[in-house]
Amino acid sequence: MQTPRLTQQIQFILEIDRLKQILRQTLLTDGSRRENSAEHSWHIAIMAMVFAEYAPPGVDLSRAIKMLLIHDLVEIDAGDTFCYDVQGNQNKAEREEQAAIRLFGLLPSEQARELRSLWDEFEAQATITAKFAAALDRIQPFLHNRETKGGTWRIHEVTRDQVIKRMLPVETGTPELWDFIQQAIGECVAIGYLRE
Amino acid sequence: MQTPRLTQQIQFILEIDRLKQILRQTLLTDGSRRENSAEHSWHIAIMAMVFAEYAPPGVDLSRAIKMLLIHDLVEIDAGDTFCYDVQGNQNKAEREEQAAIRLFGLLPSEQARELRSLWDEFEAQATITAKFAAALDRIQPFLHNRETKGGTWRIHEVTRDQVIKRMLPVETGTPELWDFIQQAIGECVAIGYLRE
Protein backbone atom coordinates (compact mmCIF):
# COMPACT_ATOMS: atom_id res chain seq x y z
CA MET A 1 0.00 0.00 0.00
CA GLN A 2 1.11 3.55 -0.68
CA THR A 3 0.89 5.00 2.84
CA PRO A 4 0.83 8.82 3.27
CA ARG A 5 4.44 8.55 4.49
CA LEU A 6 5.52 6.60 1.41
CA THR A 7 3.65 9.10 -0.77
CA GLN A 8 5.70 11.94 0.74
CA GLN A 9 8.93 10.04 0.21
CA ILE A 10 8.09 9.22 -3.41
CA GLN A 11 7.11 12.83 -4.06
CA PHE A 12 10.53 13.93 -2.80
CA ILE A 13 12.29 11.28 -4.92
CA LEU A 14 10.44 12.37 -8.05
CA GLU A 15 10.99 16.07 -7.31
CA ILE A 16 14.77 15.77 -6.99
CA ASP A 17 14.88 14.33 -10.51
CA ARG A 18 14.87 17.98 -11.61
CA LEU A 19 18.47 18.40 -10.43
CA LYS A 20 19.41 16.48 -13.61
CA GLN A 21 18.35 19.56 -15.57
CA ILE A 22 20.34 22.13 -13.60
CA LEU A 23 23.41 22.90 -15.67
CA ARG A 24 26.71 23.93 -14.10
CA GLN A 25 29.44 25.87 -15.87
CA THR A 26 31.80 22.89 -15.79
CA LEU A 27 32.21 20.89 -19.00
CA LEU A 28 32.41 17.11 -19.24
CA THR A 29 36.02 15.96 -19.61
CA ASP A 30 35.57 15.56 -23.39
CA GLY A 31 34.20 19.11 -23.61
CA SER A 32 31.03 17.92 -25.35
CA ARG A 33 28.53 19.59 -23.03
CA ARG A 34 28.03 21.20 -19.64
CA GLU A 35 27.67 18.98 -16.64
CA ASN A 36 24.47 18.89 -14.58
CA SER A 37 24.37 19.07 -10.81
CA ALA A 38 23.04 15.53 -10.30
CA GLU A 39 25.89 13.85 -12.16
CA HIS A 40 28.36 16.26 -10.52
CA SER A 41 27.07 15.15 -7.10
CA TRP A 42 27.49 11.51 -8.11
CA HIS A 43 31.04 12.20 -9.26
CA ILE A 44 32.20 13.84 -6.05
CA ALA A 45 30.53 11.17 -3.91
CA ILE A 46 32.74 8.58 -5.64
CA MET A 47 35.70 10.94 -5.23
CA ALA A 48 35.06 10.81 -1.48
CA MET A 49 35.57 7.04 -1.66
CA VAL A 50 38.71 7.26 -3.82
CA PHE A 51 40.24 10.18 -1.89
CA ALA A 52 39.24 8.88 1.56
CA GLU A 53 42.92 8.50 2.49
CA TYR A 54 43.40 12.28 2.16
CA ALA A 55 40.63 13.00 4.67
CA PRO A 56 41.97 14.54 7.88
CA PRO A 57 41.43 12.64 11.15
CA GLY A 58 37.85 12.90 12.38
CA VAL A 59 36.13 12.92 8.98
CA ASP A 60 33.00 10.75 8.91
CA LEU A 61 33.25 9.36 5.37
CA SER A 62 29.69 8.02 5.17
CA ARG A 63 28.33 11.36 6.33
CA ALA A 64 30.53 13.19 3.80
CA ILE A 65 29.13 11.02 1.00
CA LYS A 66 25.54 11.72 2.07
CA MET A 67 26.35 15.42 2.32
CA LEU A 68 27.82 15.46 -1.19
CA LEU A 69 24.79 13.64 -2.59
CA ILE A 70 22.34 16.24 -1.28
CA HIS A 71 24.45 19.44 -1.13
CA ASP A 72 23.22 20.83 -4.46
CA LEU A 73 19.52 19.92 -4.19
CA VAL A 74 18.60 23.53 -3.41
CA GLU A 75 19.66 24.43 -6.95
CA ILE A 76 16.39 22.90 -8.16
CA ASP A 77 14.73 26.12 -7.04
CA ALA A 78 17.70 28.48 -6.68
CA GLY A 79 19.63 27.50 -9.83
CA ASP A 80 23.37 26.98 -10.05
CA THR A 81 25.21 30.21 -9.27
CA PHE A 82 28.53 30.45 -11.11
CA CYS A 83 31.26 30.82 -8.50
CA TYR A 84 32.77 33.89 -10.20
CA ASP A 85 29.39 35.64 -10.64
CA VAL A 86 29.55 38.48 -8.08
CA GLN A 87 25.97 39.68 -8.55
CA GLY A 88 24.44 36.19 -8.54
CA ASN A 89 26.23 35.38 -5.31
CA GLN A 90 24.74 38.35 -3.46
CA ASN A 91 21.30 36.80 -2.86
CA LYS A 92 22.38 33.18 -3.25
CA ALA A 93 22.06 32.33 0.45
CA GLU A 94 18.51 33.65 0.66
CA ARG A 95 17.37 31.84 -2.50
CA GLU A 96 18.92 28.60 -1.31
CA GLU A 97 17.40 28.91 2.17
CA GLN A 98 13.91 29.14 0.66
CA ALA A 99 14.69 26.18 -1.60
CA ALA A 100 15.84 24.08 1.37
CA ILE A 101 12.62 24.81 3.25
CA ARG A 102 10.45 23.73 0.32
CA LEU A 103 12.45 20.71 -0.88
CA PHE A 104 13.36 19.02 2.39
CA GLY A 105 9.85 19.93 3.56
CA LEU A 106 8.42 17.44 1.07
CA LEU A 107 9.71 14.63 3.30
CA PRO A 108 8.21 13.29 6.54
CA SER A 109 9.32 15.76 9.20
CA GLU A 110 12.06 13.77 10.92
CA GLN A 111 13.61 12.89 7.55
CA ALA A 112 13.35 16.52 6.50
CA ARG A 113 15.32 17.42 9.63
CA GLU A 114 17.91 14.70 8.94
CA LEU A 115 18.63 15.86 5.37
CA ARG A 116 18.41 19.51 6.34
CA SER A 117 21.04 18.95 9.03
CA LEU A 118 23.38 17.46 6.42
CA TRP A 119 22.85 20.48 4.18
CA ASP A 120 23.25 22.93 7.08
CA GLU A 121 26.48 21.25 8.10
CA PHE A 122 27.86 21.51 4.57
CA GLU A 123 26.85 25.17 4.30
CA ALA A 124 28.24 26.14 7.72
CA GLN A 125 31.66 24.60 6.96
CA ALA A 126 32.31 24.27 10.67
CA THR A 127 33.08 20.54 10.86
CA ILE A 128 36.02 18.68 9.36
CA THR A 129 33.59 16.39 7.51
CA ALA A 130 31.99 19.41 5.81
CA LYS A 131 35.42 20.82 4.98
CA PHE A 132 36.49 17.52 3.42
CA ALA A 133 33.27 17.45 1.35
CA ALA A 134 33.78 21.07 0.24
CA ALA A 135 37.35 20.35 -0.87
CA LEU A 136 36.11 17.58 -3.18
CA ASP A 137 33.40 19.89 -4.52
CA ARG A 138 36.21 22.24 -5.58
CA ILE A 139 38.71 19.65 -6.83
CA GLN A 140 36.35 17.97 -9.31
CA PRO A 141 35.68 21.07 -11.48
CA PHE A 142 39.38 21.96 -11.14
CA LEU A 143 40.33 18.59 -12.65
CA HIS A 144 37.73 19.06 -15.40
CA ASN A 145 39.04 22.52 -16.27
CA ARG A 146 42.59 21.23 -16.43
CA GLU A 147 41.50 18.24 -18.56
CA THR A 148 39.56 20.43 -21.00
CA LYS A 149 42.56 22.72 -21.59
CA GLY A 150 41.17 25.52 -19.47
CA GLY A 151 37.46 24.81 -20.09
CA THR A 152 35.39 27.28 -18.08
CA TRP A 153 38.46 29.29 -17.08
CA ARG A 154 39.12 30.26 -20.67
CA ILE A 155 35.47 30.96 -21.47
CA HIS A 156 35.19 33.33 -18.50
CA GLU A 157 38.80 34.63 -18.56
CA VAL A 158 39.42 33.46 -15.01
CA THR A 159 42.72 34.42 -13.36
CA ARG A 160 45.21 32.57 -11.19
CA ASP A 161 44.23 34.56 -8.11
CA GLN A 162 40.56 33.75 -8.54
CA VAL A 163 41.32 30.04 -8.76
CA ILE A 164 43.69 30.09 -5.79
CA LYS A 165 40.97 31.74 -3.72
CA ARG A 166 38.36 29.31 -5.00
CA MET A 167 40.58 26.33 -4.14
CA LEU A 168 41.46 27.45 -0.58
CA PRO A 169 39.05 24.94 1.04
CA VAL A 170 41.45 22.23 -0.16
CA GLU A 171 44.07 23.55 2.26
CA THR A 172 41.98 22.55 5.29
CA GLY A 173 39.64 19.91 3.78
CA THR A 174 42.30 17.73 2.12
CA PRO A 175 45.61 19.29 3.24
CA GLU A 176 47.67 16.49 1.68
CA LEU A 177 46.40 17.59 -1.74
CA TRP A 178 47.11 21.30 -1.29
CA ASP A 179 50.65 21.10 -2.68
CA PHE A 180 49.39 19.26 -5.74
CA ILE A 181 46.68 21.87 -6.35
CA GLN A 182 49.08 24.79 -6.01
CA GLN A 183 51.55 23.18 -8.36
CA ALA A 184 48.81 22.30 -10.85
CA ILE A 185 47.56 25.91 -10.82
CA GLY A 186 51.07 27.09 -11.66
CA GLU A 187 51.27 24.62 -14.54
CA CYS A 188 47.87 25.68 -15.86
CA VAL A 189 49.01 29.32 -15.91
CA ALA A 190 52.30 28.40 -17.62
CA ILE A 191 50.52 26.42 -20.34
CA GLY A 192 47.95 29.18 -20.90
CA TYR A 193 44.82 27.42 -19.54
CA LEU A 194 44.53 30.10 -16.89
CA ARG A 195 45.29 33.84 -16.98
CA GLU A 196 48.04 35.34 -14.83
CA MET B 1 53.01 16.91 -5.68
CA GLN B 2 51.19 14.56 -8.02
CA THR B 3 52.50 11.20 -6.78
CA PRO B 4 52.13 8.12 -9.03
CA ARG B 5 49.38 6.96 -6.67
CA LEU B 6 47.50 10.26 -6.97
CA THR B 7 47.97 10.14 -10.76
CA GLN B 8 46.26 6.74 -10.85
CA GLN B 9 43.41 7.98 -8.68
CA ILE B 10 42.90 11.10 -10.81
CA GLN B 11 42.98 9.01 -13.99
CA PHE B 12 40.18 6.86 -12.57
CA ILE B 13 38.18 9.92 -11.51
CA LEU B 14 38.48 11.46 -14.98
CA GLU B 15 37.70 8.18 -16.73
CA ILE B 16 34.44 7.58 -14.87
CA ASP B 17 33.20 10.95 -16.16
CA ARG B 18 32.22 8.98 -19.26
CA LEU B 19 29.33 7.36 -17.38
CA LYS B 20 27.55 10.70 -17.82
CA GLN B 21 27.29 9.89 -21.52
CA ILE B 22 25.83 6.40 -21.18
CA LEU B 23 22.11 6.71 -21.83
CA ARG B 24 19.56 4.43 -20.22
CA GLN B 25 16.09 3.74 -21.60
CA THR B 26 14.44 5.53 -18.67
CA LEU B 27 13.13 9.04 -19.26
CA LEU B 28 13.44 11.95 -16.85
CA THR B 29 10.19 12.49 -14.96
CA ASP B 30 9.21 15.33 -17.31
CA GLY B 31 9.81 13.07 -20.32
CA SER B 32 12.22 15.58 -21.88
CA ARG B 33 15.14 13.21 -22.44
CA ARG B 34 16.64 9.87 -21.50
CA GLU B 35 18.48 9.59 -18.23
CA ASN B 36 22.20 8.78 -18.09
CA SER B 37 23.72 6.19 -15.80
CA ALA B 38 25.67 8.67 -13.64
CA GLU B 39 22.63 10.70 -12.65
CA HIS B 40 20.63 7.47 -12.22
CA SER B 41 23.29 6.23 -9.78
CA TRP B 42 23.08 9.51 -7.87
CA HIS B 43 19.30 9.23 -7.70
CA ILE B 44 19.24 5.71 -6.27
CA ALA B 45 21.99 6.54 -3.76
CA ILE B 46 19.70 9.24 -2.32
CA MET B 47 16.81 6.78 -2.47
CA ALA B 48 18.85 4.51 -0.21
CA MET B 49 18.92 7.33 2.35
CA VAL B 50 15.19 8.10 2.03
CA PHE B 51 14.09 4.44 1.93
CA ALA B 52 16.52 3.27 4.63
CA GLU B 53 13.62 2.38 6.92
CA TYR B 54 12.46 -0.25 4.39
CA ALA B 55 15.82 -2.03 4.46
CA PRO B 56 15.60 -5.49 6.05
CA PRO B 57 17.65 -6.14 9.20
CA GLY B 58 21.35 -6.60 8.46
CA VAL B 59 21.59 -4.11 5.59
CA ASP B 60 24.75 -1.97 5.76
CA LEU B 61 23.37 1.35 4.50
CA SER B 62 26.74 3.02 3.86
CA ARG B 63 27.91 0.00 1.89
CA ALA B 64 24.64 -0.03 -0.09
CA ILE B 65 25.17 3.63 -1.02
CA LYS B 66 28.74 2.96 -2.19
CA MET B 67 27.52 -0.05 -4.15
CA LEU B 68 24.84 2.01 -5.86
CA LEU B 69 27.33 4.74 -6.74
CA ILE B 70 29.66 2.34 -8.56
CA HIS B 71 27.30 -0.46 -9.74
CA ASP B 72 26.93 0.91 -13.29
CA LEU B 73 30.55 1.97 -13.95
CA VAL B 74 31.13 -1.07 -16.18
CA GLU B 75 28.65 0.44 -18.66
CA ILE B 76 31.41 2.87 -19.68
CA ASP B 77 32.85 0.00 -21.73
CA ALA B 78 29.93 -2.43 -21.89
CA GLY B 79 27.10 0.05 -22.54
CA ASP B 80 23.70 0.00 -20.90
CA THR B 81 21.84 -3.17 -21.82
CA PHE B 82 18.06 -2.67 -21.88
CA CYS B 83 16.55 -5.08 -19.38
CA TYR B 84 14.04 -6.45 -21.91
CA ASP B 85 16.66 -6.94 -24.66
CA VAL B 86 17.06 -10.75 -24.81
CA GLN B 87 19.96 -10.77 -27.28
CA GLY B 88 21.91 -7.97 -25.56
CA ASN B 89 21.65 -9.77 -22.24
CA GLN B 90 23.26 -12.95 -23.58
CA ASN B 91 26.85 -11.67 -23.50
CA LYS B 92 26.26 -8.90 -20.96
CA ALA B 93 28.12 -10.67 -18.13
CA GLU B 94 31.23 -11.22 -20.24
CA ARG B 95 31.33 -7.62 -21.53
CA GLU B 96 30.88 -6.24 -18.01
CA GLU B 97 33.54 -8.52 -16.56
CA GLN B 98 36.10 -7.17 -19.04
CA ALA B 99 35.00 -3.61 -18.24
CA ALA B 100 35.40 -4.20 -14.51
CA ILE B 101 38.94 -5.48 -15.01
CA ARG B 102 39.95 -2.42 -17.04
CA LEU B 103 38.14 0.29 -15.04
CA PHE B 104 38.84 -0.75 -11.48
CA GLY B 105 42.34 -1.66 -12.67
CA LEU B 106 43.04 2.04 -13.19
CA LEU B 107 43.18 2.44 -9.40
CA PRO B 108 45.99 1.52 -7.01
CA SER B 109 45.64 -2.22 -6.49
CA GLU B 110 44.11 -2.29 -3.00
CA GLN B 111 41.55 0.33 -4.02
CA ALA B 112 40.81 -1.62 -7.18
CA ARG B 113 40.07 -4.63 -4.99
CA GLU B 114 37.86 -2.59 -2.65
CA LEU B 115 35.67 -1.20 -5.44
CA ARG B 116 35.67 -4.50 -7.30
CA SER B 117 34.41 -6.26 -4.17
CA LEU B 118 31.51 -3.80 -3.98
CA TRP B 119 30.65 -4.48 -7.62
CA ASP B 120 31.02 -8.25 -7.21
CA GLU B 121 28.74 -8.17 -4.19
CA PHE B 122 26.08 -6.24 -6.12
CA GLU B 123 26.32 -8.61 -9.08
CA ALA B 124 26.23 -11.79 -6.97
CA GLN B 125 23.09 -10.67 -5.13
CA ALA B 126 23.96 -12.98 -2.27
CA THR B 127 23.91 -10.47 0.61
CA ILE B 128 20.94 -8.57 1.99
CA THR B 129 22.81 -5.29 1.37
CA ALA B 130 23.14 -6.15 -2.34
CA LYS B 131 19.47 -7.16 -2.48
CA PHE B 132 18.41 -3.87 -0.90
CA ALA B 133 20.54 -1.98 -3.44
CA ALA B 134 19.10 -3.99 -6.33
CA ALA B 135 15.53 -3.29 -5.21
CA LEU B 136 16.20 0.48 -5.36
CA ASP B 137 17.80 0.07 -8.79
CA ARG B 138 14.46 -1.40 -9.94
CA ILE B 139 12.11 0.93 -8.08
CA GLN B 140 13.57 4.17 -9.49
CA PRO B 141 12.86 3.42 -13.19
CA PHE B 142 9.49 1.97 -12.13
CA LEU B 143 8.56 5.31 -10.51
CA HIS B 144 9.77 7.17 -13.61
CA ASN B 145 7.73 4.98 -15.94
CA ARG B 146 4.65 5.51 -13.83
CA GLU B 147 5.28 9.26 -13.65
CA THR B 148 5.76 9.56 -17.44
CA LYS B 149 2.42 7.79 -18.14
CA GLY B 150 4.08 4.55 -19.16
CA GLY B 151 7.34 6.03 -20.52
CA THR B 152 9.62 3.23 -21.64
CA TRP B 153 6.90 0.60 -21.12
CA ARG B 154 4.75 2.15 -23.84
CA ILE B 155 7.64 2.72 -26.23
CA HIS B 156 8.68 -0.94 -25.98
CA GLU B 157 5.18 -2.41 -25.47
CA VAL B 158 6.18 -3.97 -22.18
CA THR B 159 3.65 -6.28 -20.46
CA ARG B 160 2.50 -6.72 -16.86
CA ASP B 161 4.27 -10.07 -16.58
CA GLN B 162 7.58 -8.61 -17.74
CA VAL B 163 7.39 -5.85 -15.14
CA ILE B 164 6.36 -8.22 -12.34
CA LYS B 165 9.36 -10.40 -13.15
CA ARG B 166 11.63 -7.35 -13.36
CA MET B 167 10.41 -6.05 -10.00
CA LEU B 168 10.81 -9.35 -8.11
CA PRO B 169 14.02 -8.18 -6.34
CA VAL B 170 11.80 -5.77 -4.40
CA GLU B 171 10.13 -8.73 -2.70
CA THR B 172 13.35 -9.67 -0.89
CA GLY B 173 15.30 -6.38 -1.03
CA THR B 174 12.60 -4.08 0.34
CA PRO B 175 9.78 -6.49 1.33
CA GLU B 176 7.74 -3.71 2.95
CA LEU B 177 7.40 -2.08 -0.47
CA TRP B 178 6.36 -5.21 -2.35
CA ASP B 179 2.63 -4.71 -1.75
CA PHE B 180 2.88 -1.14 -2.99
CA ILE B 181 4.71 -2.23 -6.16
CA GLN B 182 2.20 -4.99 -6.93
CA GLN B 183 -0.70 -2.63 -6.43
CA ALA B 184 0.96 0.08 -8.52
CA ILE B 185 1.56 -2.41 -11.37
CA GLY B 186 -2.14 -3.28 -11.33
CA GLU B 187 -3.06 0.41 -11.47
CA CYS B 188 -0.63 1.02 -14.35
CA VAL B 189 -2.25 -1.81 -16.32
CA ALA B 190 -5.76 -0.52 -15.56
CA ILE B 191 -4.89 3.01 -16.71
CA GLY B 192 -3.19 1.75 -19.89
CA TYR B 193 0.44 2.62 -19.06
CA LEU B 194 1.33 -1.05 -19.19
CA ARG B 195 0.00 -3.86 -21.42
CA GLU B 196 -1.91 -6.80 -19.96
Side-chain angles (χ1 to χ4, degrees):
Chain A
M1 267 202 324
Q2 189 162 339
T3 61
R5 181 173 174 87
L6 180 57
T7 298
Q8 281 182 290
Q9 292 165 327
I10 290 175
Q11 199 181 342
F12 175 80
I13 286 164
L14 292 173
E15 181 70 15
I16 67 172
D17 189 64
R18 290 171 56 203
L19 195 65
K20 300 170 187 168
Q21 308 215 48
I22 303 295
L23 293 184
R24 294 162 48 79
Q25 293 294 331
T26 312
L27 302 173
L28 298 193
T29 54
D30 70 355
S32 59
R33 65 164 171 85
R34 284 163 65 191
E35 173 184 60
N36 70 57
S37 292
E39 55 198 12
H40 159 72
S41 301
W42 163 81
H43 208 170
I44 54 180
I46 294 192
M47 276 179 70
M49 295 165 63
V50 173
F51 279 176
E53 69 201 70
Y54 308 118
V59 167
D60 178 338
L61 182 64
S62 293
R63 190 163 173 85
I65 290 173
K66 289 178 180 176
M67 214 177 267
L68 289 167
L69 289 171
I70 64 99
H71 82 292
D72 271 344
L73 282 180
V74 292
E75 295 180 359
I76 288 171
D77 287 352
D80 177 63
T81 310
F82 185 43
C83 56
Y84 303 112
D85 170 6
V86 177
Q87 213 163 10
N89 278 283
Q90 278 173 349
N91 63 350
K92 185 183 176 218
E94 192 186 310
R95 283 181 289 122
E96 294 193 342
E97 168 67 24
Q98 290 307 312
I101 292 169
R102 185 186 78 80
L103 283 162
F104 298 128
L106 294 171
L107 285 167
S109 58
E110 98 287 355
Q111 283 198 308
R113 277 195 300 277
E114 183 196 334
L115 267 68
R116 173 72 198 234
S117 86
L118 282 168
W119 184 72
D120 283 342
E121 184 176 337
F122 182 82
E123 290 297 304
Q125 285 296 306
T127 65
I128 192 60
T129 298
K131 287 174 201 280
F132 173 66
L136 302 177
D137 190 36
R138 302 291 164 94
I139 295 172
Q140 185 257 359
F142 179 89
L143 293 176
H144 277 235
N145 279 325
R146 187 173 72 153
E147 188 70 11
T148 52
K149 303 184 192 303
T152 317
W153 295 333
R154 284 168 82 126
I155 295 168
H156 297 280
E157 303 189 334
V158 174
T159 66
R160 178 207 290 261
D161 287 350
Q162 285 178 299
V163 173
I164 290 175
K165 193 174 161 202
R166 180 74 187 157
M167 297 305 291
L168 274 177
V170 174
E171 195 176 9
T172 46
T174 52
E176 277 185 65
L177 298 179
W178 183 231
D179 271 359
F180 153 64
I181 292 291
Q182 286 179 298
Q183 191 178 316
I185 290 173
E187 287 163 6
C188 288
V189 171
I191 209 166
Y193 294 171
L194 195 54
R195 287 167 69 123
E196 186 55 77
Chain B
M1 269 198 322
Q2 190 164 336
T3 62
R5 182 173 172 88
L6 180 57
T7 299
Q8 282 183 289
Q9 291 165 327
I10 289 176
Q11 199 180 342
F12 175 80
I13 286 164
L14 291 172
E15 180 70 14
I16 67 171
D17 188 64
R18 292 170 57 204
L19 195 64
K20 299 169 189 170
Q21 308 215 47
I22 303 294
L23 294 184
R24 295 163 46 82
Q25 292 295 329
T26 312
L27 302 173
L28 298 193
T29 53
D30 70 355
S32 60
R33 65 164 171 85
R34 284 162 64 190
E35 172 185 58
N36 69 58
S37 291
E39 57 198 11
H40 158 71
S41 301
W42 163 81
H43 207 168
I44 54 180
I46 295 193
M47 276 179 69
M49 295 165 63
V50 174
F51 279 176
E53 69 200 69
Y54 307 117
V59 167
D60 178 338
L61 183 64
S62 294
R63 190 163 173 84
I65 290 172
K66 289 178 179 176
M67 214 176 268
L68 289 166
L69 289 170
I70 63 100
H71 83 294
D72 271 344
L73 283 180
V74 292
E75 294 180 0
I76 288 171
D77 288 353
D80 177 63
T81 309
F82 185 42
C83 57
Y84 303 113
D85 170 5
V86 177
Q87 215 163 8
N89 278 285
Q90 277 172 352
N91 63 349
K92 185 183 176 218
E94 193 186 310
R95 282 182 288 123
E96 295 193 343
E97 167 68 24
Q98 289 307 312
I101 292 170
R102 185 186 78 79
L103 284 161
F104 298 128
L106 295 171
L107 286 167
S109 58
E110 98 288 354
Q111 283 197 308
R113 277 195 300 276
E114 185 196 333
L115 267 67
R116 173 72 198 233
S117 87
L118 283 167
W119 184 71
D120 283 341
E121 184 176 336
F122 182 82
E123 289 297 304
Q125 285 296 306
T127 65
I128 192 62
T129 298
K131 287 174 201 279
F132 173 66
L136 302 177
D137 190 36
R138 303 292 165 92
I139 294 172
Q140 186 256 359
F142 179 88
L143 293 176
H144 277 234
N145 278 324
R146 187 173 73 153
E147 188 70 10
T148 52
K149 302 185 193 300
T152 318
W153 295 333
R154 282 168 82 127
I155 295 167
H156 297 280
E157 303 190 335
V158 174
T159 65
R160 177 208 290 261
D161 286 351
Q162 285 178 301
V163 173
I164 291 177
K165 195 176 159 198
R166 181 77 189 154
M167 297 305 291
L168 274 178
V170 175
E171 195 175 8
T172 45
T174 51
E176 276 185 66
L177 298 179
W178 183 230
D179 270 359
F180 153 64
I181 292 292
Q182 285 180 299
Q183 192 178 318
I185 291 173
E187 286 163 5
C188 288
V189 171
I191 210 167
Y193 294 170
L194 194 54
R195 287 167 68 123
E196 187 55 74

